[in-house]
Amino acid sequence: MFKFISVVLFFFSVSAYAGVSQWLDFTLDNGHIMIPVTVAGIETHAILDSGAQVNGINTAFLIKHKPKLIKGQKMLIQGVVGEERRQSYDQVPANLFGANIKFDDVVEIRLGHHEKGMLIGAGFFASFVVQIDYPNQKMRLVKRNIIDLPKLKNIKFQAQKGSGRPLVNIKIGEKSIWGLLDTGSTGGLLVSRSVASRLGLLEEVERNIVISGVNDSAFTEQATTAGVEFGPFTLDDVAVTFPADGETLNLESQHRTLGTRMRGRKVEAIIGYDVFKHFLLTIDYKGGHMHVSIPEES
């Protein structure tokens, strides 16, 4: 599990005023939030992925640097495409935003180039109110008693029972669906084929694409829809991806360990960067509240 105490002490010791961290810069790599991190003494980058229920270490990073890590149990991981048993590691030393942290249950996954050393999942977001300013590429953490988010919230949002994953409600035309708020997704909306049928998109396919998850790949189709309501805002020309006929995707889970009992609201979509990129998101993952706004230019 993520060790939170040192992170809390770090962020609030450098606060401009009590309970609020300074704004911290991040970079965007094809929609992924990338932050500098040191893993086992090696400088690299981490992807912040609110849709992931586990923390991960990149296979390519392990092959390149061969860090000496403590092996844990093998874990069965289910991604958006397929499932696979993977090696995990315990007591993985890392330095994140200047704080020394040790991660347990860090699962080996494929993240592409070795410079993407880690994936940091939803546990990172759970202890704070998190503000992510996509247009200005910065973020900060806020104590819950500093901001009255239950009063300010302007979008339906909740933590899924059993998993704690962040779920948000959107409307497409007259249809309302719940989707996973996934900062690790670089697309717009990813939905099941049955949802695409309900939205009348099966006859509107514009292109065929292959998507890759942490385990496997799948053939999908893509259409564009207008009138996507995200809180008080309406977006046009949003790309909606769905499995090709005969393919299946795991929308219920993102990078999670199997065998856990999860009962909660059904997930019908994964909501990604192409929706978030316009906004400042203020999110209380644990409390189940969220506010969406247009940020001022830095």
Side-chain angles (χ1 to χ4, degrees):
M1 296 295 293
F2 192 94
K3 303 299 189 294
F4 291 108
I5 294 176
S6 60
V7 178
V8 174
L9 291 176
F10 167 73
F11 275 113
F12 297 125
S13 67
V14 297
S15 298
Y17 55 94
V20 182
S21 80
Q22 61 184 312
W23 284 105
L24 304 162
D25 294 332
F26 61 81
T27 58
L28 288 169
D29 179 25
N30 192 30
H32 285 139
I33 296 175
M34 302 284 291
I35 60 171
V37 63
T38 301
V39 179
I42 302 162
E43 292 184 359
T44 184
H45 290 85
I47 298 171
L48 292 187
D49 186 351
S50 64
Q53 291 180 263
V54 298
N55 299 315
I57 189 164
N58 190 3
T59 300
F61 175 86
L62 295 175
I63 293 172
K64 171 72 174 178
H65 298 288
K66 298 179 175 56
K68 294 181 179 180
L69 301 177
I70 301 170
K71 287 187 176 182
Q73 63 180 339
K74 288 194 173 182
M75 303 170 68
L76 191 61
I77 299 297
Q78 185 180 65
V80 70
V81 184
E83 62 187 56
E84 190 173 325
R85 191 169 295 279
R86 299 289 183 84
Q87 180 65 54
S88 71
Y89 299 89
D90 293 328
Q91 296 292 294
V92 177
N95 184 283
L96 176 67
F97 292 138
N100 291 317
I101 308 160
K102 288 189 176 180
F103 292 86
D104 286 329
D105 299 323
V106 181
V107 180
E108 182 179 338
I109 58 177
R110 291 186 287 271
L111 296 173
H113 196 275
H114 64 80
E115 290 185 355
K116 300 175 183 178
M118 282 195 72
L119 179 145
I120 298 175
F124 171 81
F125 299 91
S127 291
F128 318 94
V129 173
V130 181
Q131 289 190 301
I132 303 175
D133 182 341
Y134 272 94
N136 294 308
Q137 297 185 36
K138 59 184 182 179
M139 61 180 291
R140 68 178 178 180
L141 308 180
V142 183
K143 277 188 174 181
R144 289 187 175 86
N145 63 351
I146 298 297
I147 184 171
D148 190 1
L149 204 52
K151 181 178 179 179
L152 296 174
K153 63 183 179 182
N154 60 1
I155 188 170
K156 292 182 180 179
F157 178 90
Q158 67 177 59
Q160 187 186 43
K161 292 181 180 179
S163 73
R165 296 179 310 152
L167 305 183
V168 65
N169 185 262
I170 62 173
K171 287 186 68 177
I172 305 175
E174 298 300 317
K175 301 187 183 299
S176 176
I177 61 175
W178 283 88
L180 176 66
L181 183 83
D182 188 1
T183 62
S185 174
T186 61
L189 299 176
L190 183 64
V191 303
S192 67
R193 193 167 179 85
S194 62
V195 170
S197 178
R198 289 187 356 232
L199 296 174
L201 297 178
L202 297 186
E203 306 303 322
E204 304 294 331
V205 174
E206 299 169 353
R207 62 185 66 89
N208 299 295
I209 57 176
V210 177
I211 64 169
S212 298
V214 295
N215 295 323
D216 208 344
S217 300
F219 292 99
T220 65
E221 299 174 336
Q222 192 175 85
T224 301
T225 189
V228 176
E229 294 184 23
F230 186 67
F233 302 97
T234 301
L235 302 174
D236 291 327
D237 299 324
V238 176
V240 183
T241 305
F242 45 91
D245 192 20
E247 295 271 14
T248 58
L249 298 176
N250 300 314
L251 297 183
E252 283 291 331
S253 309
Q254 274 286 74
H255 321 325
R256 77 174 177 93
T257 54
L258 296 176
T260 55
R261 297 185 65 185
M262 293 169 47
R263 295 181 181 179
R265 188 178 295 278
K266 183 178 180 181
V267 178
E268 293 190 295
I270 293 174
I271 306 168
Y273 169 71
D274 275 350
V275 174
F276 309 146
K277 65 185 180 183
H278 309 284
F279 302 115
L280 167 62
L281 306 181
T282 302
I283 311 164
D284 182 352
Y285 286 76
K286 186 175 180 180
H289 310 293
M290 178 173 168
H291 182 269
V292 183
S293 62
I294 302 292
E296 296 180 358
E297 291 186 9
S298 294

